[in-house]
Amino acid sequence: MQLFKNLFSKPLSTQLKVTSSNGFHLRPVARFTTLAKSFTCDVTASFNNKIVDAKKVNTLLSLSLEKENTFTLITQGKDAQKALDALQTLFEKLMKDDIEVTSIKKETSNYIGDILEGDIITKGVAIAPTTMYNTEIIQHENNLTFKEAVKQTIQSLEETYKSQKENSNADIYLAQKELLSALDEKCGSLEELETLIKKESHNLEGTKLSAKITDYQDILQQVKISLGLEVKVHFPEHAFILLADDLLPSEITLLSNTRVQGIVLKNTSINSHTSILLRAVGIPSLIANTKNIPLNKEILLDSFAGVVVLTPSNEDIQKARNLQEKTKEQKKYSDSKRFESASTTQGKQIKVFANVGDIESAKVAKDEGAEGIGLLRSEFLFKSVKPTLEAQTKAYAEIFETFDDITVRTLDVGGDKALPYLHIPLEDNPFLGIRGVRLFRTHPEILEEQLHAIFIASQGKQIKIMFPMVSTVEEFNKAKSFAQAIAQKQNIDISHIDFGIMIEVPSVLFLIEAFNEVVDFYSIGTNDLTQYLFAVERTHPLLKVDQLSPVVFSALKNIVTHATKPISICGELAANSDAIDKLVNLGLTTLSVSPKSIAQTKEQIRHV
Ligand code: PEP
Ligand code: MG
């Protein structure tokens, strides 16, 4: 049957380049294989003369794809085209979203006692006696067979993944689930699983994928727990700093009911799943050689500075306590004032809005004290399947309920963001090709439906619509006329809607006077503006532009000097602690930032 299927369908293929410095590692691979499995066609990947099944985590990982490697994705069978398009889109997104933490910048310190340097996992300060991570294993009677225990573990990982789906760490559980499913096919007993994991771990030692060893151990431990194994950990009753070779990701939850103040791990990496989860729970942690740290003695962990003070003097302790207190107070203070407006020391009020991408992030923004939505990235609705008018209307209506002041941006795909059903001819320079407002020319039907949905959802609400990537006044005029024509065709009153542009293309810097005549507002997108000012792709793996370059500020000054309509800024620069005072001093009065940056942005404004 399979043979017939493949005999009569031609294989389709595409080249995919790994752009993340982390390589194509476990978490993105798990997301990729999960999607691949949803198609009936065969999905394979070929690299260095090796062809593997791309529906399985282990086989795909065995290609050891690193940054700059290009592999061929091949699909063959009934839904081959659909699979190829969807997998390509997902792969590009995974690469783009895979943020690498190379190292966390250390602050200077001047402690008197002996110091051990380390790499920062999570910033913070802890002062407490050390304790070594110690587990006691107890085997209970259990009626489950090995296969049943594996099934139960897979189910439990799946449940954890689903319950945390909104959370960026959820992929860790999906990755472990996929890994265990792949191992399950090869093992019939616990002994076989142990042997296989031992072998795989040995092969991974010293390679770029060595962080996966911890996931293997975690999986093994979880299967054993399903088989009746109890892992007892003895933590002191008093406050303590935990020393361990490494922790398994699943063991981090064991710490939640303890008095742990800080953690020092010997054998982990800054990007391991353990480190990612430690950052999520916020326990001050460091990677350092635990062998050099005395046991059961009070030490000082300052992971702002990336140091352990092994023999802290009274003065060191006092210094650390002050720092600890200051940090705690600062966070508590800015959090407590997050619902208050932010004014500078001169009494100038600055609005702090949120950049959101869907209803969940809009709700978080509300909780974090946002005063409105400065940028609703509408791309979230446009996934592998085209959203219907009804789905779009429902989603916008829900988000429009959250705040009184909302700016929604029309679809901004193209460039690095592809959509399977949006056919853009191959371009040599996609970032300079069809993207943003240029889609009005090439795909008017998609924009017509989107605007129609926004119009229905905004009835009775004062909202703003902005067009991305506008480069000429004519482009704006055409897009606005297009919107007005749709409103007329659908007989919807849009007199309550303001129309504006994102300032992202340098040509606009020289056209502000002309734009003043036609737009209702501006929003500065420094992410793209910087990319186009310096002609450096924002996703380029090697080339980086200084976001704080005087060139960027002089472009902003030019806008502020010449614009006569309200201006806000929604690029990443708006939340940059080294830029906020400069932006405010330039005269910007609305900063739109990610929800989690709202409290601290407001607090910083209060000191300008
Ligand atoms: C920008 O370019 O600064 C911006 C906010 O838009 P995006 O990052 O969505 O392109
Ligand atoms: Mg942009």
Side-chain angles (χ1 to χ4, degrees), residues 377 409 412 417 435 468-469 502 504 525-529 538:
R377 290 185 166 100
R409 179 174 76 183
D412 184 21
K417 308 172 208 154
R435 61 169 299 201
M469 296 296 300
M502 297 269 302
E504 299 176 290
T526 46
N527 309 340
D528 274 311
L529 185 60
R538 58 195 270 185

Side-chain angles (χ1 to χ4, degrees), residues 151-266:
K151 200 170 156 202
Q152 185 175 302
T153 313
I154 290 176
Q155 258 169 12
S156 136
L157 286 166
E158 165 118 45
E159 274 159 27
T160 315
Y161 168 64
K162 282 190 177 149
S163 68
Q164 306 214 1
K165 224 168 169 179
E166 303 306 336
N167 191 320
S168 60
N169 306 319
D171 286 352
I172 293 173
Y173 306 103
L174 177 70
Q176 291 195 346
K177 185 200 126 197
E178 291 296 316
L179 214 48
L180 181 55
S181 306
L183 292 169
D184 182 33
E185 288 177 17
K186 297 186 197 161
C187 307
S189 67
L190 184 61
E191 291 69 36
E192 279 175 26
L193 181 69
E194 278 182 311
T195 312
L196 189 62
I197 284 184
K198 214 180 211 168
K199 201 173 122 211
E200 297 259 357
S201 302
H202 182 70
N203 293 341
L204 288 167
E205 265 163 33
T207 73
K208 281 213 152 191
L209 290 171
S210 61
K212 205 174 117 192
I213 297 174
T214 316
D215 286 300
Y216 271 135
Q217 281 163 1
D218 205 4
I219 286 168
L220 184 62
Q221 178 151 311
Q222 290 179 65
V223 172
K224 284 182 177 174
I225 289 170
S226 297
L227 279 168
L229 186 103
E230 187 188 350
V231 183
K232 263 198 159 167
V233 195
H234 303 285
F235 293 117
E237 296 279 303
H238 56 77
F240 62 94
I241 291 176
L242 187 69
L243 309 180
D245 260 12
D246 198 358
L247 286 175
L248 300 178
S250 66
E251 287 171 332
I252 290 168
T253 45
L254 299 175
L255 295 165
S256 59
N257 293 324
T258 72
R259 296 192 59 203
V260 65
Q261 307 294 301
I263 298 177
V264 185
L265 298 177
K266 182 166 170 272

Side-chain angles (χ1 to χ4, degrees), residues 65-102:
L65 290 159
E66 292 190 5
K67 186 175 170 184
E68 298 298 325
N69 289 161
T70 298
F71 67 100
T72 311
L73 178 70
I74 308 147
T75 56
Q76 187 172 18
K78 211 170 123 226
D79 48 6
Q81 186 64 56
K82 221 167 134 193
L84 196 75
D85 291 342
L87 287 166
Q88 179 166 7
T89 308
L90 176 70
F91 180 79
E92 281 159 5
K93 183 170 177 342
L94 290 171
M95 287 296 111
K96 199 173 161 214
D97 294 350
D98 194 33
I99 300 160
E100 177 203 27
V101 185
T102 38

Side-chain angles (χ1 to χ4, degrees), residues 312-377:
S313 66
N314 288 344
E315 206 179 305
D316 289 337
I317 302 266
Q318 197 48 51
K319 220 181 277 171
R321 285 209 200 291
N322 293 345
L323 180 58
Q324 209 172 23
E325 208 43 48
K326 198 171 128 206
T327 315
K328 217 162 51 194
E329 285 303 315
Q330 267 171 354
K331 172 136 184 31
K332 210 166 116 194
Y333 184 71
S334 54
D335 280 354
S336 72
K337 291 183 71 175
R338 69 190 190 279
F339 294 116
E340 291 176 29
S341 58
S343 297
T344 64
T345 49
Q346 304 294 310
K348 187 167 157 197
Q349 195 175 326
I350 307 293
K351 287 191 221 153
V352 180
F353 280 28
N355 295 343
V356 305
D358 49 25
I359 181 66
E360 282 75 28
S361 50
K363 284 182 184 160
V364 174
K366 189 99 198 168
D367 273 358
E368 294 290 331
E371 295 163 87
I373 293 176
L375 166 63
L376 167 59
R377 290 185 166 100

